[in-house]
Amino acid sequence: MIVRILSEGQYELDDEAVAELNTLDDELTRSIDAGDDGAFRAALSSLLAKVREAGKPLPVDSLQPSDFVLPDPDAHVDDVREMLGDEGLVPG
Amino acid sequence: MSLMKRMALIFRSKANKAIDRMEDPRETLDYSYQRQLELLQNVRRGVADVATSRKRIELQITQLTQQGDKLEGQGRQALAAGREDLAREALTRRSGLQQQISDLQTQHANLQAEEERLTLASQRLQAKVDAFRTRKETLKATYTAAEAQTKINEAFSGVSEEMSDVGLAIQRAEDKTAQMQARAGAIDELIASGALEDPSGLGKDDITAELERMSSQSEVDLQLAKMKQELGAAEPRKELEGEGK
């Protein structure tokens, strides 16, 4: 599975690692639904740390699309809510 | 649905919409390549814009620091002349400047991080654009409608995702620079209005004026005393001429 961290790049992870990510992802989703930036920040940084630790960076010239996309490390919970609510926010 | 998946789908749907608009997949390749080159230009311009803003902040930090040093000197001068009130005023203003300077230093660090991030984004995009160009030529040369579509879609989705990512990074850098520009403009106005400093050196702030008034006052007193002395004892003191200043 390929995971992109926005503004950082793509990582390749095996299915086992992805299963672990799912638990953290649930927490992240809950914090977004609650609009709780503190919880969001904590969940996001553990999730990103896990991806960086378990994943192998894809070469920069790889053209593979990602199976999962994660917000950038500085993202605020409101930015992500906006991105999810309004697809127009993503340019291109 | 999971957040990671939802976000991936948002990015994917962008790519799919673009692909659907094209009748011949080979057109998609050329069109996309053009867009990639434009985006590369944009991200490079973004890096340059952020660098310009960063330099402007550096200049302001220097100006404000100089102004702070000047106020400190004036405070010392005022205190030496026995004007504690004036010294206090100078130091109060100086501490106001310190606050501005430390805010600017924070912004400077933010912009520097943004600049590095954009530089990396531009390098990543460059690598993908180069890879895409090679892939596109191969695909066009061996094109058969039946099998090409999926390969084209894959290459296109990969690069399109990168483009969306870089596009977001540019947007964010633009937002940050715009906020910063507004503040920097306000500080420039403050500097220009003489509230902080008059860079022309022609107009004078009130502390400088007061110190100069005091110093010219004591100059006048000194001159007066000297004249009185000369008038009162012109004859016997003649041998001392040249010693006084």
Side-chain angles (χ1 to χ4, degrees):
Chain A
M1 292 287 208
I2 294 170
V3 179
R4 171 183 292 271
I5 299 177
L6 288 180
S7 87
E8 194 170 313
Q10 293 169 293
Y11 294 84
E12 185 155 24
L13 282 85
D14 58 30
D15 292 351
E16 231 171 276
V18 170
E20 275 185 67
L21 291 184
N22 278 326
T23 326
L24 292 166
D25 189 27
D26 288 343
E27 276 176 43
L28 193 64
T29 310
R30 271 198 301 276
S31 71
I32 290 169
D33 291 340
D36 180 346
D37 191 54
F40 168 78
R41 199 149 296 283
L44 181 62
S45 63
S46 13
L47 193 49
L48 297 184
K50 189 77 212 165
V51 172
R52 293 183 193 118
E53 177 206 311
K56 194 168 121 277
L58 275 193
V60 276
D61 62 353
S62 148
L63 289 175
Q64 283 174 273
S66 310
D67 299 290
F68 300 114
V69 174
L70 282 169
D72 71 83
D74 298 339
H76 188 273
V77 67
D78 293 343
D79 301 335
V80 178
R81 291 177 74 146
E82 208 176 332
M83 204 182 288
L84 293 171
D86 170 20
E87 296 187 11
L89 188 74
V90 179
Chain B
M1 198 200 306
S2 117
L3 170 80
M4 305 190 290
K5 192 74 209 161
R6 263 155 86 193
M7 288 197 41
L9 287 178
I10 290 172
F11 281 75
R12 192 73 57 87
S13 80
K14 286 277 163 190
N16 290 343
K17 272 182 206 153
I19 289 171
D20 290 345
R21 279 199 296 270
M22 299 295 163
E23 297 209 333
D24 182 340
R26 282 171 292 189
E27 268 178 47
T28 317
L29 294 172
D30 288 328
Y31 172 74
S32 173
Y33 185 63
Q34 284 311 314
R35 295 280 321 272
Q36 291 162 32
L37 294 179
E38 284 165 25
L39 189 64
L40 257 183
Q41 289 290 324
N42 281 346
V43 70
R44 286 184 185 141
R45 207 163 26 234
V47 172
D49 286 348
V50 175
T52 307
S53 298
R54 175 178 54 75
K55 284 177 195 147
R56 185 174 177 194
I57 288 198
E58 277 165 20
L59 187 70
Q60 289 188 329
I61 290 176
T62 311
Q63 284 178 322
L64 293 182
T65 307
Q66 281 168 357
Q67 176 67 5
D69 292 349
K70 185 178 150 199
L71 281 167
E72 197 192 342
Q74 288 181 333
R76 222 177 280 281
Q77 213 178 326
L79 202 60
R83 287 287 306 272
E84 196 175 327
D85 58 328
L86 202 56
R88 184 176 297 277
E89 175 63 27
L91 293 180
T92 306
R93 284 188 203 175
R94 181 171 178 271
S95 90
L97 287 185
Q98 289 305 120
Q99 185 55 47
Q100 298 266 23
I101 290 172
S102 95
D103 286 354
L104 284 177
Q105 278 163 342
T106 309
Q107 287 199 34
H108 184 260
N110 283 341
L111 282 183
Q112 207 152 29
E114 211 57 57
E115 196 178 332
E116 277 161 26
R117 202 193 295 256
L118 273 189
T119 307
L120 286 176
S122 120
Q123 286 163 358
R124 277 201 314 270
L125 183 62
Q126 176 74 66
K128 288 214 176 359
V129 168
D130 290 345
F132 186 88
R133 191 188 52 223
T134 313
R135 182 86 63 90
K136 150 174 113 76
E137 292 315 317
T138 315
L139 283 170
K140 278 164 81 174
T142 61
Y143 180 79
T144 62
E147 48 115 12
Q149 188 72 58
T150 43
K151 284 186 182 174
I152 287 176
N153 285 4
E154 200 197 64
F156 185 85
S157 300
V159 82
S160 145
E161 192 183 295
E162 188 72 39
M163 289 168 76
S164 296
D165 190 351
V166 170
L168 281 172
I170 294 176
Q171 246 178 34
R172 200 182 52 182
E174 278 173 358
D175 289 350
K176 286 206 177 170
T177 349
Q179 284 168 12
M180 199 285 307
Q181 296 281 10
R183 266 202 63 147
I187 289 179
D188 278 345
E189 259 173 52
L190 265 180
I191 292 172
S193 74
L196 294 176
E197 181 188 30
D198 181 357
S200 70
L202 293 174
K204 283 165 186 155
D205 62 71
D206 50 355
I207 295 184
T208 304
E210 177 70 8
L211 281 170
E212 284 184 1
R213 197 188 58 73
M214 280 162 58
S215 115
S216 73
Q217 191 68 47
S218 61
E219 187 87 351
V220 169
D221 288 347
L222 208 71
Q223 290 278 340
L224 271 175
K226 202 175 158 193
M227 282 178 181
K228 277 182 194 163
Q229 213 174 30
E230 279 170 8
L231 282 173
E235 290 305 309
R237 294 284 177 129
K238 210 159 191 177
E239 70 275 13
L240 290 179
E241 240 181 1
E243 269 187 38
K245 190 193 148 355

